[in-house]
Amino acid sequence: MPLDLSTARERRVVRGACPHDCPDTCALLTTVENGRAVAIRGAPDHPATAGVLCTKVARYLERTYSDQRVPYPMRRVGRKGEGRFERITWDEALATIAARFAGIAASPDGAQAILPYSYAGTMGHLQYGSMDRRFFHRLGASLLDRTICSAAGKAGWAAAIGASVGMDVEQYENSRLILIWGSNSIASNLHFWTRAQEAKRRGAKLVAIDPYRSATAEKCHEHIAPMPGTDGALALGLMHVLIAEGLLDRDYIDRYTLGFEALAAHVREWTPERTAQACGIGAAQVTALARDYGTIGPAAIRVNYGMQRVAGGGNAMRAIACLPALVGAWRHPAGGALLSSAGTYPIDEHALQRPDLVRGSPRTINMVAIGDALQDARDPPIRAIYVYNSNPVAVAPESSRVRAGFAREDLFCVVHEVFQTDTADFADVLLPATTQLEHVDIHSSYGHLYALANNQAIEPLGEALPNTEVFRRLAARMGFTEPCFRDSDEDLARMAFRRDDSRVSGFDWDTLKRDGWRRLNVPMAYAPFAHGGFPTPSGKCEFVSESLSRRGQDALPQYIPPREAALTNAALARRYPLAFISPPARNFLNSSFANLPAFVQEEGTPKLDLHPDDAAPRGIADGDRVRIYNDRGSFTAQARVGHKARPGVAVAPSVWWQKLTPDGRNANAVTSQALTDLGRGATFYDCLVEVVRE
Ligand SMILES: Nc1nc2c(c(=O)[nH]1)N[C@H]1C(S)=C(S)[C@@H](COP(=O)(O)OP(=O)(O)OC[C@H]3O[C@@H](n4cnc5c(=O)[nH]c(N)nc54)[C@H](O)[C@@H]3O)O[C@H]1N2
Ligand SMILES: Nc1nc2c(c(=O)[nH]1)N[C@H]1C(S)=C(S)[C@@H](COP(=O)(O)OP(=O)(O)OC[C@H]3O[C@@H](n4cnc5c(=O)[nH]c(N)nc54)[C@H](O)[C@@H]3O)O[C@H]1N2
Ligand code: SF4
Ligand SMILES: [Mo]
């Protein structure tokens, strides 16, 4: 039959992966008709995705086709921060950047005066960290310590377990007890929550440990609400009860752990009473939780990064990571714990990022304290910053310092972005970035065990370019002749995994592109440490860590209380009596999606949850406008008085774009640049404030 050309439409379904900073890394199916993406859904065949996307990415086409996209390269015409730009060509933009970078590199300050600033706007290995790293390494720019999210927890977990490896998320449906610790899974780890729900239907008990009565905590059988930053004490208290009551797997401890006797002596003082006092909960809650944990099996912990954004976050995670070994929970695939599965993938970072190209021995700047780094006297000062995959003006702590840093007239600022964010307003040169539908990438996950390919679904919109291509072009402009700067995205994707590793044997980039996803070669009923084999120096779960102690850290997991709390800083707590946390809002992903009308509408306006016991003495009623402040700054929100926040804690779901709030500020006006005990991480949730009615 002849083809009727008048109605023929080219229609295809493209396999991709969700790029967002979320443990679920969903497999996507995008329907493309005549070059335009018309539908997006979760791949039904991918076990971790099971055909379901979260509400944000189910509307990803609104993001891709938004009329708010940065359409072409631009140059600043207004004052810094004003956000006024005029169109220029890519040629002009690249020439400007190359000339400024070359000038700085040739000056006495040298290339170290240039700083890349990026995080996880996209988690694909190519667009997250490949050609960009090669470029800045070869340039000799300052290095960036990418610590804003997970550094403390990762370091604490690694001290006990050895690497970011843990339970298979698919096994949680077989658990009998699940502790959801510092995680609002419904918002931030939806596909785990589905498994937890299934476990619940099968009779499992779910316990949330969170100072906030999140949507997740509300749906668990039990909710334990410690004060922020006190989880380390809670974990030590649980150990105390487990040991005192003999609720231990002695055989597992003898064979597969290191330092039990020292740990037992160490936690002797952590009685339920002392623990309860440190955490602001009841002693009976500590004992009951320990008894559940010691007697119901398989017992699983899903711990997330929400509990480690405090002074003692690293040690708290260490203590939690020790719990499964004490009760032998690792013996069962549905027992143990998961923080991140990222370490299960044999990523070839060396091949992707080429640290061997580094010129000299450049300094490292911690991204958390970017406010200080841009403002304090440094030798050399930061004279240029290139921001991509991140929105520091909105997400970095102590906004007043960050904004003042970016406002420096003498700072040359490049921002490569999908949207004109708070940070983009400060750019001298603003470059348009592609979305996930417009470029190629290869993905691992930090919540499941599949590798994924992201095929390009549509042509880039406007003049947008992928991160990789911009750095390829900049490298050529700067005269970098190493062949690695000519690698295509396909070349890069082929080198992302170490080919000699058995976990990825049997598939390659070509099969991954075709099939979209592939499970790593780990058993289906995966129990990574059933027979020990921890990737620590001793091969055991290390209650006592010699490697930490060699670095001047405590050999045993300590309780390090919050830096800003009544027990540690009474004078400060008298002026600012409320502990303040700003966890993710369900409809935003950090500051991503916080500019798109549908999601902003869902969230309404910036809110502050307060307990009636804290609202009443301040004369604050539900719906009042309130000001939240401390010595670092202030912002306003609408009070929501109820039982979501526990007494003594104020909660502002985040991260709003500053320029889209009524007062032009967000929660980071009050947060601190101080760092964690391990990993030099951020302490967003270690923050005291006072709240007044406006
Ligand atoms: N919808 C949505 N999903 C997201 C994100 C998002 O912004 N929005 N962010 C993504 C990112 S960047 C990450 S890192 C991951 C993980 O994201 P996380 O930041 O871990 O986010 P949540 O899982 O929401 O967990 C935060 C929970 O920890 C609680 N919490 C705060 N302080 C403490 C504490 O001291 N102790 C305890 N026990 N709990 C505390 C908060 O009240 C909140 O309910 O999620 C990702 N997924
Ligand atoms: N108060 C408070 N602050 C927080 C947190 C909190 O809980 N409370 N959470 C913290 C955490 S856990 C994290 S991880 C950080 C996250 O902070 P960021 O990593 O900065 O995350 P986003 O705010 O989502 O900004 C990512 C930006 O990258 C852009 N982008 C996406 N894809 C691409 C691409 O392919 N190329 C380029 N060039 N750009 C792209 C997006 O448009 C977006 O504007 O925020 C932290 N800040
Ligand atoms: S749940 Fe997470 S991985 Fe899945 S679509 Fe949403 S943001 Fe992406
Ligand atoms: Mo994060």
Side-chain angles (χ1 to χ4, degrees), residues 344-387:
T344 321
Y345 296 78
I347 306 299
D348 198 342
E349 269 187 20
H350 188 275
L352 287 170
Q353 307 189 348
R354 296 294 304 273
D356 56 302
L357 293 171
V358 169
R359 294 278 155 133
S361 41
R363 66 180 166 190
T364 300
I365 304 276
N366 190 314
M367 72 185 301
V368 172
I370 187 63
D372 284 350
L374 288 174
Q375 293 228 85
D376 292 351
R378 303 254 169 163
D379 185 22
I382 298 172
R383 292 175 53 196
I385 187 165
Y386 185 122
V387 181

Side-chain angles (χ1 to χ4, degrees), residues 97-184:
I97 299 165
R100 289 298 291 264
F101 282 7
I104 293 171
S107 77
D109 287 332
Q112 272 198 87
I114 303 167
L115 179 71
Y117 194 97
S118 75
Y119 199 61
T122 166
M123 306 250 341
H125 290 287
L126 309 192
Q127 308 307 339
Y128 171 82
S130 63
M131 206 50 92
D132 54 319
R133 308 298 157 97
R134 295 177 178 185
F135 176 82
F136 289 112
H137 288 158
R138 170 67 179 76
L139 182 62
S142 284
L143 301 170
L144 184 72
D145 212 359
R146 290 179 172 79
T147 50
I148 202 158
C149 168
S150 57
K154 197 172 164 187
W157 180 274
I161 306 294
S164 293
V165 174
M167 276 180 69
D168 180 349
V169 66
E170 289 172 52
Q171 292 297 327
Y172 278 87
E173 58 196 34
N174 302 317
S175 309
R176 303 291 300 167
L177 175 72
I178 306 180
L179 310 190
I180 302 179
W181 202 323
S183 170
N184 179 8

Side-chain angles (χ1 to χ4, degrees), residues 21 119-120 148-150 305 309 446 590:
D21 188 349
Y119 199 61
I148 202 158
C149 168
S150 57
Y305 294 107
R309 298 188 183 112
Y446 62 100
N590 302 320

Side-chain angles (χ1 to χ4, degrees), residues 319-504:
I320 293 170
C322 292
L323 291 169
L326 286 173
V327 298
W330 291 115
R331 287 185 190 276
H332 197 289
L338 176 65
L339 170 63
S340 160
S341 57
T344 321
Y345 296 78
I347 306 299
D348 198 342
E349 269 187 20
H350 188 275
L352 287 170
Q353 307 189 348
R354 296 294 304 273
D356 56 302
L357 293 171
V358 169
R359 294 278 155 133
S361 41
R363 66 180 166 190
T364 300
I365 304 276
N366 190 314
M367 72 185 301
V368 172
I370 187 63
D372 284 350
L374 288 174
Q375 293 228 85
D376 292 351
R378 303 254 169 163
D379 185 22
I382 298 172
R383 292 175 53 196
I385 187 165
Y386 185 122
V387 181
Y388 57 109
N389 291 347
S390 185
N391 182 11
V393 170
V395 307
E398 208 177 349
S399 309
S400 64
R401 298 279 292 165
V402 181
R403 292 186 74 94
F406 274 94
R408 267 175 44 200
E409 279 299 332
D410 64 332
L411 178 73
F412 176 63
C413 175
V414 179
V415 177
H416 186 200
E417 251 298 346
V418 182
F419 294 108
Q420 193 177 327
T421 58
D422 288 331
T423 309
D425 284 348
F426 289 88
D428 291 286
V429 178
L430 176 55
L431 305 172
T434 41
T435 69
Q436 186 76 343
L437 304 189
E438 301 154 70
H439 57 230
V440 171
D441 221 321
I442 184 165
H443 289 255
S444 53
S445 163
Y446 62 100
H448 61 60
L449 297 169
Y450 297 81
L452 298 94
N454 183 69
N455 290 291
Q456 184 179 338
I458 58 172
E459 287 304 310
L461 297 177
E463 293 185 11
L465 287 179
N467 297 344
T468 43
E469 179 60 18
V470 178
F471 287 105
R472 222 174 263 125
R473 292 187 189 185
L474 272 176
R477 294 258 169 182
M478 302 285 298
F480 297 168
T481 52
E482 289 81 353
C484 73
F485 290 109
R486 293 194 293 278
D487 282 346
S488 68
D489 284 2
E490 293 274 328
D491 296 334
L492 291 167
R494 270 179 227 291
M495 57 183 80
F497 296 127
R498 288 192 310 270
R499 296 283 4 131
D500 58 352
D501 194 290
S502 65
R503 288 169 295 189
V504 294

